[in-house]
Amino acid sequence: MAIAAVLGAIAPLGQAPYGQPLVMLLVFSLAFLTLRRQRRPWNAALIGWAFGVGYFAVALAWIVEPFQVDPDRHAWMAPFALVLMSMGLALFWGGAFWLARLLSSRTWPLILTWTAAEVLRAYLFTGFPWASPAQALVGGAAGQGLAWAGPHGMTLWLMSIAWALSFPAVYRKRGVMRAGQAVLLCSTAALFYLPPSAPPAPLTPHTVRLIQPNAAQHLKWRSDHTQTFFDRQLAFTAAAPEAGKPMPDLTVWPETAILWTLETAGPALRQIAEAAEGKPVTLGLLRRDEDALYNAMVLLDAAGSPTQIYDKHHLVPFGEYIPFANLLNRFGIMGLAQTSSTGFASGPGAEVLDFGALGSGLPLICYEAVFAHGVGAVEERPDFLLQITNDAWFGQNVGPQQHLAQARMRAIEQGLPLMRAANTGISAMIDPQGRILASLPMGVAGFLDVPLPAPMAPTFYSQTGDTPIIVLLALGLLCTRLGRRRQN
């Protein structure tokens, strides 16, 4: 178990910001070898669980950052959060190893069960697919497979290669087999590191301005700083474009960009519209409706009046709300981003907004960009994806970069450009192949004026979602089970 945990801790080197998917692949291959040595299902489960604990403890180490924003209240929770989350998520992988050994004395069923565990991790208990194996592929040519197979299909592909590399040379022509594995390893490495070969997506005539105020989370709501951050965003909005170019067709402010709730923000919204010279502006802010509080995005017209409102529907557990809140509130435990004892209310669901000349856009507030199946849930296909986020919660290193990687995944999967305004970074314009056309680094205040890429034709994954891979996994597991029964 100790060896498995160490191996698991090495595997996240495939994720951002390290960007070494080949290391991750080789470690996964060693995980298949560890299963080969386990004869009992429960022993296999312990090995898989230990591997998962090591993996998630390193991949999700950024989870301690939100607890440092208000350390007097929350710092004591940080180690418990990381340990408990790692141990909990590792149960999915432990279950995969257990079922693989239960189904067969061979190792190949782990391809199916490990992928199935990742599907369950994305859906169960509101889902948390962060740091999925497929996330490591986004930077290279292999990542373009997301447009066809989605994250779980690419995880299946990755696990299949890891198994093939782990297979011992048991045949007479061992040299031929080893040569085949060497060719497979080299060709896979090329897919990992070579850039996408598709030509750049054509650009529309429209320009978008992305605002990044760099409001540190521990200062964001302090009375002696809120006006400074607001004025900074106003100045960026009013800044003159490059010589000879008109004002941007849309200006995007990040999540919870202003102090005021929508009901009291009228004067501020009019100032924002005036700074944009009447061009549309979209921004994040809080909204109250009777006794409910929403994390919202609004689209402003030339007079600063909200013409469309979107309420975030996929909330962060233990961040924006607390499960069993009535019980835990008695012990003073609240969500980190909560401003009331009840937490935020959830909006009705994904919704496409009309952005006029730019076309239609699917708004995503922060965490909602993590879910591939959520982005593809709308009936009307938008022309672009728009994410506003406050990654100041995640620190200045691993968390924001992994969040950006997931935004790039959604662009590839849907074949749509994605514009991203992040409070402290990384703000970016992403094309339909997941390539970053322009970006602002973390910890920098500024703005970007960048052309909006045109959408591609609908991808296979955008039309089918996860259904094909779920059916394939179910059939594979069923056939494996039937084969086991026949052997018995």
Side-chain angles (χ1 to χ4, degrees), residues 112 127 133 204 305 316 368 425 446:
L112 301 175
T204 69
S305 299
V316 182
E368 291 177 327

Side-chain angles (χ1 to χ4, degrees), residues 7-8 22 33 38 55 67 72 92 101 120 140 155 189 210 216 220-221 283 288 338-339 345 383 397 419 469 473:
L7 288 175
L22 186 60
L33 283 177
Q38 309 307 315
Y55 179 85
F67 297 92
D72 292 340
F92 288 98
R101 179 51 73 233
L120 292 176
T155 295
L210 304 175
K220 184 177 173 67
W221 301 121
L283 73 152
R288 292 192 181 276
Q338 282 184 230
T339 58
D383 296 303
N397 192 12
M419 60 183 80
I469 189 65
L473 290 172

